[in-house]
Amino acid sequence: MSKVQAAITAVNGYVPEYVLTNKELESIVETTDEWITSRTGIKERRILKGEGLGTSDMAVHAVNGLLKKRGISAEDIELIIFCTTTPDMQFPASANILADKIGAVNAWGYDLQAACSGFIFGLATASQFIETGKHKNVLVIGGDKMSSIINYEDRTTCIIFGDGCGAVLLEANEEGNGIIDSLLHTDGSGRNHLNMKAGGSVNPASHETIDNHEHFVHQEGQAVFKFAVTNMANVAAEIMERNQLSSDDITWLVPHQANKRIIDATANRMGIGTEKVMINIEKYGNTTNGTIPLCLWEWESQLKKGDTLILAAFGGGFTWGSIYLKWAY
Ligand code: UT7
């Protein structure tokens, strides 16, 4: 019997309508379109506006479209892994909230927190439930409403992040396509360089934490950049090496979209040209868990059965990882 692999069989995405341009940011903080473009590659990002809307509301759009594309109903979903750093609430999990909103009454689910590497960690985790035969239809969501934890007075972070959400469906594949390998890392000693200082059990919300702006993303940009550029490139090169893949074997690199310079360094280390790299950072900025599924969504029409994809990400934690998969449709 041939090996069962977990394959992506549908993908969909959602980005909110509101476009926050570099030009508009120039009127909010002391920055320039030129600085943002040259240092990050970002031109604009999307912002979810509207009272009472959270990350799960973007996921509802992404998932409803995905189910329609695949021609299955929400009742067919058995497991939902919701990768997010900005859940609707501290608890219950956004996976539960989403299941209720879409009518996935037969599913169980949970949230997965691995900052910008979340979607890769989620795919690797979800694939186990398919490979073992435990579940048939598994949803992996990657999405964030980063605008809910960004200080729009901090020019070093507000220019980077945006809101958006992507979703994939995983099903069993016995044709040799699907997720073939994953390489995942965490190093908690990096936690001080990129975090949200308050709102957790160590430093619960108080008047003081609000006054000190501690419910926002804190990022030491240069330190994070140094680790990101090295580790994302290394992990992508390592997964190629251990699967005996040359640069010619790679159809697409699907990198986390944190900074165009980090993406270029990763492609360079893998020996592949920009024509093989999915890049949409100029339109959406860094949507944290959303970047990779949003790329897959945007490039879906160009993907062919059997294409070799390398996914790679680096994020707060620190967390980083890579996935080698063969496109299944
Ligand atoms: O996704 C998860 C992981 N996150 C990342 O991978 C992000 C990694 N880090 C980065 O992408 C970059 O470090 C940033 C884009 C955040 C910053 O770029 P940088 O080239 O590392 O800039 P820098 O922090 O070294 O700052 C250089 C200068 C500073 O001025 P001085 O001290 O040289 O006078 C900053 O104050 O640029 C200044 N600066 C800005 N100037 C205009 C910082 N932010 C801005 C801004 N506009 N928005």
Side-chain angles (χ1 to χ4, degrees):
M1 220 178 85
S2 47
K3 190 175 180 286
V4 174
Q5 277 162 185
I8 295 174
T9 55
V11 57
N12 203 40
Y14 174 80
V15 288
E17 268 171 38
Y18 190 87
V19 180
L20 175 60
T21 62
N22 289 352
K23 195 89 210 141
E24 186 178 348
L25 280 170
E26 284 179 1
S27 68
I28 299 172
V29 288
E30 203 182 323
T31 191
T32 59
D33 172 42
E34 200 282 325
W35 192 96
I36 302 171
T37 308
S38 62
R39 295 293 181 120
T40 69
I42 302 166
K43 293 299 264 182
E44 54 191 44
R45 64 293 287 143
R46 300 299 180 97
I47 303 294
L48 182 64
K49 302 261 186 186
E51 198 70 19
L53 295 179
T55 305
S56 78
D57 296 292
M58 296 191 287
V60 167
H61 287 286
V63 172
N64 281 339
L66 176 142
L67 295 174
K68 205 166 158 200
K69 263 187 186 176
R70 185 67 186 134
I72 62 170
S73 89
E75 291 172 11
D76 297 321
I77 302 299
E78 297 173 10
L79 168 62
I80 299 173
I81 300 180
F82 201 137
C83 312
T84 185
T85 299
T86 51
D88 286 15
M89 301 179 186
Q90 181 97 344
F91 78 92
S94 294
N96 296 33
I97 297 169
L98 176 69
D100 179 52
K101 287 181 176 173
I102 62 173
V105 290
N106 298 313
W108 68 289
Y110 55 91
D111 289 2
L112 189 151
Q113 164 63 286
C116 295
S117 309
F119 185 73
I120 282 187
F121 281 35
L123 265 190
T125 310
S127 67
Q128 310 302 311
F129 291 95
I130 300 281
E131 285 174 19
T132 56
K134 178 82 181 162
H135 290 307
K136 285 193 184 65
N137 293 316
V138 178
L139 272 182
V140 183
I141 324 281
D144 276 293
K145 183 186 170 184
M146 291 306 291
S147 61
S148 65
I149 54 167
I150 290 298
N151 177 1
Y152 285 92
E153 291 176 355
D154 175 6
R155 69 174 182 174
T156 68
T157 51
C158 74
I159 54 124
I160 298 171
F161 293 98
D163 303 339
C165 184
V168 299
L169 180 71
L170 289 187
E171 293 179 71
N173 183 291
E174 294 185 45
E175 297 178 339
N177 292 322
I179 295 169
I180 293 170
D181 196 12
S182 62
L183 204 50
L184 311 168
H185 296 282
T186 54
D187 177 1
S189 69
R191 66 189 177 279
N192 293 328
H193 298 300
L194 180 50
N195 59 28
M196 190 166 94
K197 294 194 182 305
S201 55
V202 167
N203 198 12
S206 66
H207 288 293
E208 199 185 342
T209 61
I210 291 172
D211 291 344
N212 292 340
H213 303 296
E214 289 175 348
H215 295 272
F216 294 126
V217 170
H218 160 81
Q219 175 170 260
E220 293 157 15
Q222 268 190 25
V224 177
F225 185 91
K226 220 167 63 191
F227 282 100
V229 87
T230 310
N231 287 316
M232 198 163 120
N234 282 351
V235 78
E238 204 182 330
I239 206 162
M240 282 174 69
E241 206 173 298
R242 84 172 187 189
N243 289 283
Q244 287 98 44
L245 294 170
S246 76
S247 52
D248 289 341
D249 298 322
I250 311 294
T251 325
W252 293 103
L253 165 64
V254 195
H256 170 54
Q257 316 276 310
N259 188 315
K260 175 78 164 46
R261 291 182 286 149
I262 299 171
I263 297 172
D264 290 343
T266 304
N268 209 21
R269 177 93 157 73
M270 294 167 71
I272 64 169
T274 46
E275 73 285 354
K276 288 185 173 185
V277 188
M278 295 186 191
I279 303 174
N280 58 14
I281 191 170
E282 70 284 357
K283 289 195 293 185
Y284 306 136
N286 183 350
T287 55
T288 304
N289 285 275
T291 60
I292 290 177
L294 285 174
C295 279
L296 293 174
W297 169 54
E298 283 209 279
W299 267 263
E300 185 190 20
S301 61
Q302 295 181 55
L303 292 168
K304 290 189 280 306
K305 194 171 177 171
D307 278 357
T308 298
L309 274 61
I310 300 289
L311 282 46
F314 182 90
F318 293 134
T319 55
W320 67 103
S322 186
I323 280 184
Y324 159 37
L325 65 84
K326 285 197 170 290
W327 198 249
Y329 64 98

